[in-house]
């Protein structure tokens, strides 16, 4: 990665990244399955004006990076999706975990699928190249690990929303951040 030095010159640093996706639930009380109407839920949670402004902004930013955000469909309890993300990390490290997260994001944000529906999770897992049948059939698999991570990151980092980036286990960046914010943290590391 190229990092600009304090004197303005460019230097190359050898940085290795191990991206780990940690669980966070906006609302742990959402039901499993289809859950609730996504847009209605956003309006209720954030208010109509704020959610509409967020949607306009997200669609604009998404379009710039090739994401077609859609706000139809349903929102269900995401706990099982976090178990799937945990399993992907256990089975194939950060690469497989990243593939699963990409598929979950595509299903939820672009295909209007609820992550509370097990068949949607199975489809995401299959597209990412992971067999999740055992995990989805056994609700206890990964449950404790995911619950522990939820508690830890909510407590230690006071995580109340996403995204929250924690770089090198010490530097939190909350919310959408410009590239320059990451560059500053990488230079500190």
């Amino acid at each position: 990665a190229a990092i600009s030095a304090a004197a303005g010159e460019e230097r190359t640093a050898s940085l290795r990244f191990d991206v780990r996706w940690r669980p966070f639930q906006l609302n742990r009380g959402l039901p499993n399955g289809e859950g609730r109407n996504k847009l209605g839920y956003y309006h209720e949670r954030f208010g109509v004006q704020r959610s509409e402004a967020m949607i306009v902004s997200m669609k604009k930013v998404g379009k710039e990076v090739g994401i077609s955000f859609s706000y139809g469909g349903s929102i269900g309890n995401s706990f099982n999706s976090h178990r799937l993300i945990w399993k992907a990390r256990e089975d194939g490290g950060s690469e497989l975990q990243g593939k699963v997260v990409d598929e979950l994001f595509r299903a939820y944000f672009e295909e209007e699928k609820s992550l509370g529906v097990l068949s949607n999770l199975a489809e995401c897992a299959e597209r990412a190249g992971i067999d999740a049948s055992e995990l989805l059939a056994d609700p206890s698999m990964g449950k404790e690990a995911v619950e522990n991570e939820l508690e830890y990151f909510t407590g230690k980092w006071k995580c109340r929303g996403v995204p929250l980036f924690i770089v090198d286990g010490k530097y939190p960046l909350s919310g959408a951040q410009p590239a320059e914010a990451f560059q500053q943290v990488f230079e500190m590391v």
Side-chain angles (χ1 to χ4, degrees):
I3 301 175
S4 91
E9 76 221 33
E10 187 136 325
R11 63 185 166 96
T12 301
S14 178
L15 299 177
R16 287 190 12 230
F17 294 90
D18 180 21
V19 177
R20 294 178 186 222
W21 293 88
R22 305 296 188 173
F24 179 78
Q25 292 186 280
L26 284 173
N27 184 342
R28 295 179 188 188
L30 282 170
N32 286 320
E34 286 296 326
R36 300 187 42 208
N37 174 277
K38 185 190 302 184
L39 188 56
Y41 176 77
Y42 287 170
H43 286 171
E44 183 181 301
R45 178 146 177 110
F46 303 112
V48 174
Q49 267 189 317
R50 183 172 172 215
S51 61
E52 292 296 333
M54 287 175 7
I55 289 169
V56 168
S57 176
M58 291 294 293
K59 283 185 173 187
K60 180 182 178 217
V61 171
K63 187 174 184 180
E64 292 171 4
V65 294
I67 301 169
S68 300
F69 283 105
S70 183
Y71 291 88
S74 300
I75 181 171
N77 192 298
S78 63
F79 189 81
N80 286 320
S81 70
H82 295 295
R83 290 190 317 112
L84 176 59
I85 293 166
W86 165 84
K87 175 147 177 48
R89 176 83 186 181
E90 292 291 304
D91 288 359
S94 61
E95 184 178 341
L96 184 57
Q97 189 182 49
K99 288 178 183 178
V100 166
V101 169
D102 286 346
E103 292 303 331
L104 292 169
F105 282 173
R106 181 169 68 154
Y108 180 74
F109 288 114
E110 296 185 80
E111 298 172 349
E112 302 182 351
K113 294 180 179 177
S114 172
L115 299 183
V117 176
L118 294 180
S119 62
N120 291 343
L121 298 181
E123 181 182 329
C124 290
E126 184 178 326
R127 291 190 313 210
I130 182 174
D131 178 7
S133 55
E134 185 180 358
L135 174 88
L136 297 176
D138 180 359
S140 68
M141 184 183 287
K143 181 179 184 220
E144 185 177 345
V146 171
E147 286 174 344
N148 288 343
E149 282 193 4
L150 278 167
E151 184 178 323
Y152 175 79
F153 285 96
T154 300
K156 179 173 180 171
W157 297 103
K158 309 296 185 235
C159 183
R160 303 289 179 258
V162 290
L164 172 64
F165 304 94
I166 302 166
V167 179
D168 202 29
K170 341 176 209 202
Y171 305 105
L173 292 166
S174 184
Q177 296 287 326
E180 296 78 24
F182 287 95
Q183 184 174 349
Q184 282 182 324
V185 172
F186 295 156
E187 286 174 356
M188 286 191 300
V189 171

